[in-house]
Amino acid sequence: MRSRPVLVYDGDCGFCTTSANFVERHVRPRCDIVPWQFTDLDALGVTRERAAYEVVWVAPAGAVDGGARAVAKTLLSAGGVWAPLGAVLLLPGVRGGVARGVYRLVATHRHRLPGGTPACAVSRRPG
């Protein structure tokens, strides 16, 4: 079992890389932040398709959360001013509606956002 959680993002996506770098420098969560292209996804229990589709949080015991829940867990792990925002993202009603919808909107259009390139486009949810 790992001692720290892992946040896995798409290292081929400029927007995702810029976001991960911002989180690492300014939010400072208590986790390892790694691009999926340079990690052992099998050891984390994450498929390549899922890692390309959404940001993924893997807890030390192996529980996996993706998308808005992964963002919330990242914010919670940072503590300080970030933790209340993470807690709000996990509230019933916010978690399933607003948080998931905003995350999906950003993820679907990440190739159009600053730093994004055609390589950032996400085609569909993994099966």
Side-chain angles (χ1 to χ4, degrees):
M1 178 171 23
R2 288 176 310 286
S3 62
R4 289 172 49 97
V6 179
L7 182 70
V8 181
Y9 70 95
D10 186 350
D12 284 341
C13 173
F15 175 77
C16 298
T17 300
T18 299
S19 298
N21 289 337
F22 176 88
V23 166
E24 199 162 34
R25 278 194 305 269
H26 301 289
V27 177
R28 303 176 84 163
R30 292 175 193 93
C31 68
D32 296 323
I33 301 174
V34 298
W36 68 260
Q37 292 86 350
F38 298 106
T39 194
D40 183 352
L41 293 176
D42 288 338
L44 295 175
V46 177
T47 65
R48 182 181 188 273
E49 293 77 21
R50 183 170 190 186
Y53 179 75
E54 63 186 353
V55 65
V56 179
W57 174 270
V58 183
V64 177
D65 289 294
R69 286 185 62 88
V71 172
K73 299 278 178 106
T74 302
L75 295 172
L76 284 169
S77 80
V81 300
W82 300 105
L85 180 56
V88 167
L89 291 176
L90 292 176
L91 288 173
V94 175
R95 176 183 63 228
V98 176
R100 182 181 293 152
V102 170
Y103 179 86
R104 196 47 29 222
L105 181 69
V106 170
T108 300
H109 299 284
R110 65 188 190 176
H111 62 287
R112 295 183 176 131
L113 297 172
T117 67
C120 301
V122 175
S123 60
R124 62 177 183 79
R125 181 163 179 78

